[in-house]
Amino acid sequence: MMASESNDRAGWIGILSVPPGRAGQAFVSFYAAIASAIAVDVLLITHNHRPETWRLTAEMVFDDGGQIVAWALAATWPIMEAMRMVLASIWRDRIRRQAREEGIAIGEERSNQRWREWVQRRELAEARGEPFNEPMPDDDGTQKLSR
């Protein structure tokens, strides 16, 4: 699906039909694929043909340019999806860790609040000269009242 001539930003762009919001990721993926394909081609050329100079190696790499671009185009989408999966996993773990830390902080604050309220009730009872037999707040977050 191509973007309409009315400059529809919701359309898709590029050879691989990339959504506009992911164009940057597509370019990074394509450049990574190009670099990988060139590296593999250089390794294959140096291993199989053993050129005498780096200029001959570069010439052979340029001769393989069409194949390199074809391999890079084919690898772009899988690289994009792999990057999304890895980044999503990292992001999800970060969110979970942050939520867990916030939950612990909230739980500690609630526990501290229960203890402060218990101490206030005890001090108020002592100030009035009344017996105070309310049990201390439990560590499991519950408070048993037995008055």
Side-chain angles (χ1 to χ4, degrees):
M1 179 169 34
M2 298 287 292
S4 69
E5 299 209 335
S6 66
N7 200 8
D8 181 16
R9 295 188 141 255
W12 290 42
I13 60 172
I15 296 171
L16 295 174
S17 296
V18 176
R22 293 181 63 191
Q25 187 182 17
F27 284 121
V28 169
S29 300
F30 179 70
Y31 293 141
I34 284 279
S36 300
I38 289 173
V40 168
D41 195 40
V42 167
L43 289 173
L44 288 173
I45 287 170
T46 56
H47 182 267
N48 294 334
H49 301 288
R50 301 196 191 281
E52 294 179 17
T53 65
W54 66 269
R55 290 184 179 135
L56 289 174
T57 303
E59 187 178 315
M60 289 180 185
V61 169
F62 283 119
D63 287 343
D64 294 341
Q67 294 173 352
I68 290 172
V69 170
W71 278 105
L73 283 174
T76 296
W77 197 263
I79 290 172
M80 281 178 60
E81 292 305 312
M83 284 177 21
R84 283 179 62 112
M85 287 188 297
V86 168
L87 293 175
S89 175
I90 291 169
W91 184 256
R92 187 173 34 250
D93 290 346
R94 179 178 290 166
I95 297 278
R96 285 181 183 158
R97 185 173 44 251
Q98 183 180 8
R100 185 174 47 246
E101 289 170 359
E102 287 175 4
I104 289 170
I106 289 171
E108 288 175 354
E109 179 59 32
R110 287 181 183 159
S111 177
N112 290 341
Q113 180 64 29
R114 282 191 304 272
W115 276 97
R116 281 191 294 272
E117 291 170 355
W118 182 84
V119 168
Q120 285 176 348
R121 288 190 301 272
R122 187 188 62 159
E123 289 174 350
L124 195 73
E126 287 176 356
R128 291 185 203 155
E130 299 173 356
F132 185 78
N133 59 358
E134 181 180 322
M136 291 186 274
D138 291 334
D139 290 338
D140 65 356
T142 62
Q143 184 175 11
K144 300 173 185 169
L145 295 176
S146 60
R147 287 187 182 193

